[in-house]
Amino acid sequence: MVDLVVSEVGPRDGLQNIDYILPTQDKCRWIEALAAAGLREIEVGSCVSPKAVPQMADTPEVAAFARRLNTEIAILIPNLKGLKRALTANPQKISIPFSVSETHSLKNLNRTHAQMLDGVEEICAYLRTLPADERPEFEGGLSTAFGCTLEGPVPEDRVVTLAEQLMAAGCDGVGLADTTGYANPAQVRRLIRRVKAAVGEQNLSSVHLHNTRGQGLANALAALEEGITTLDSSMAGLGGCPFAPGASGNIVTEDLVFMLEAMGLNTGIDYDGLIRARELLQKLLPKAVELYGFTPAAGLPKGLCIRGDSQGDSLYVASPG
Ligand code: ZN
């Protein structure tokens, strides 16, 4: 049993934000290395228009490969059409990005909140027709929940209302995403409390944080302390941010795993395996793509061993040899 699920979103959030299409074979090799390192959940891609996001055109193939590995797979979809493509790989989890900022929603998916909610209902109705063993868990991901580059501050009341509406439309749960890297730890705590109070403790279990302004790990800790059990992160903070040159993308998986394990929490992840996956990624990507992460640069503190088999109670176990 892991104390906390680190959900690796690099193959989706990372790769869709870099100006290079990683060949299918290479994606599969990287995802295989991630699963071998002990990552229990991997967002392997998105089933969106290949014209809009050519980096994700091969998601069904990549997902079908990843489904055979020892990990759960998640796929992001924008609509029913995307769901039907995603289902060919029989993923365990599906999520839809629902932007709390309506301006962002119009720009990103060309849909108003009302149109988005209709789409979510349609997806839920379709999912209900599937046999239980083919029905993935469906999460409504509230993006721009902590602020929007187009609208600025986002009212918390609106986040809470949309979370309630997503649950009423039939989602299995909701997630909160700091798409823009605007969040601070006090805000993270407050919003998680408010949304949990509105939709029920068990219906908000994941957050998706970016490290655009260096607040990622502080926000992750705040989320952890509010009972969040799944944290999204991406290897090497891949993806960057088109609105903040030089800034990393998602919180860095390697740094997050170090923080959690050093605190005595079990992630099930083997740190050496993580570094092997990172080295492979570095080889597969063009040199111009920057890889982030403090822990890979500095190494683990002497005496700390993260092997993926800790029980969560052994701090700084001496490594053999
Ligand atoms: Zn993101």
Side-chain angles (χ1 to χ4, degrees), residues 184-204:
N184 66 71
Q187 184 188 17
V188 168
R189 295 196 76 142
R190 199 170 56 237
L191 197 56
I192 290 172
R193 277 185 201 182
R194 287 200 57 189
V195 172
K196 280 190 170 204
V199 302
E201 175 78 24
Q202 72 288 356
N203 292 326
L204 169 61

Side-chain angles (χ1 to χ4, degrees), residues 286-304:
K287 285 200 171 37
V289 178
E290 197 168 350
L291 301 192
Y292 300 93
F294 289 105
T295 315
L300 288 178
K302 191 174 168 64
L304 176 63

Side-chain angles (χ1 to χ4, degrees), residues 9 12-13 16-17 177-179 208-210 250:
V9 299
R12 199 276 303 169
D13 209 353
Q16 81 172 19
N17 280 305
D178 181 21
T179 317
H208 175 96
L209 301 165
H210 279 231
N250 292 92

Side-chain angles (χ1 to χ4, degrees), residues 39-44 69-74 92 137:
L39 282 151
R40 305 297 166 97
E41 185 177 296
I42 303 176
E43 191 174 60
V44 296
L69 303 170
N70 185 24
T71 185
E72 301 213 330
I73 66 164
Q92 285 94 344
E137 182 194 333

Side-chain angles (χ1 to χ4, degrees), residues 84-112:
K84 288 178 180 173
R85 275 181 76 212
L87 286 174
T88 59
N90 193 19
Q92 285 94 344
K93 189 172 170 181
I94 292 281
S95 63
I96 188 166
F98 192 115
S99 191
V100 180
S101 153
E102 198 157 23
T103 316
H104 186 268
S105 182
L106 284 164
K107 200 168 173 193
N108 208 22
L109 296 174
N110 199 24
R111 275 183 287 168
T112 62

